[in-house]
Amino acid sequence: MSVIKAENLTFAYPESGENIFDSVSFQIDSDWKLGLIGRNGRGKTTFLRLLQGELAYTGRIISSVTFDYFPCPVSDMSRMTIEILEEICPSAEDWEFLKETSGLEIEPEALYRP
């Protein structure tokens, strides 16, 4: 088990006079399945960018896990989906990709299309 912990997290974009997060503290068990929902512009992506270390903030974020953003950017849209997935997840096997697409009710041949 790993924990994601924020202590007195404060953040505001430089051009804004208002804090998006103001002295926020919380702890999340990384074994949890957690979803953040909310209207556009409420800080969900900003929070992920803070976790990824892309933005400067005050306070502390402590975590032994890494964070990824999905969907990830794809520079060459002509490449097959399976090629992109293998690049993103080099240790995954083809059956794992098929299992995930099945769970999402995506046809397996979608892996072999751009």
Side-chain angles (χ1 to χ4, degrees):
M1 176 187 79
S2 185
V3 172
I4 302 161
K5 188 174 188 177
E7 297 174 342
N8 295 317
L9 177 64
T10 300
F11 173 79
Y13 284 104
E15 63 275 5
S16 171
E18 219 174 294
N19 286 341
I20 294 174
F21 300 104
D22 191 7
S23 299
V24 175
S25 296
F26 60 86
Q27 182 172 309
I28 301 170
D29 182 326
S30 65
D31 289 336
W32 297 350
K33 293 193 186 298
L34 177 69
L36 300 175
I37 58 171
R39 291 178 32 212
N40 290 350
R42 299 297 183 223
K44 298 176 298 295
T45 301
T46 298
F47 178 56
L48 177 60
R49 292 181 66 203
L50 290 169
L51 291 174
Q52 291 176 310
E54 293 180 8
L55 300 172
Y57 57 87
T58 59
R60 291 177 18 146
I61 296 176
I62 304 161
S63 176
S64 61
V65 297
T66 58
F67 303 93
D68 291 315
Y69 182 79
F70 182 83
C72 56
V74 176
S75 58
D76 181 358
M77 300 296 277
S78 68
R79 292 176 62 202
M80 286 193 304
T81 302
I82 190 77
E83 294 173 2
I84 305 295
L85 291 173
E86 288 170 344
E87 188 176 291
I88 295 168
C89 307
S91 62
E93 296 183 30
D94 285 353
W95 69 265
E96 293 173 290
F97 296 130
L98 290 167
K99 179 182 173 193
E100 292 300 319
T101 55
S102 174
L104 294 168
E105 298 182 5
I106 297 172
E107 296 297 322
E109 51 273 3
L111 293 172
Y112 304 96
R113 293 193 303 242

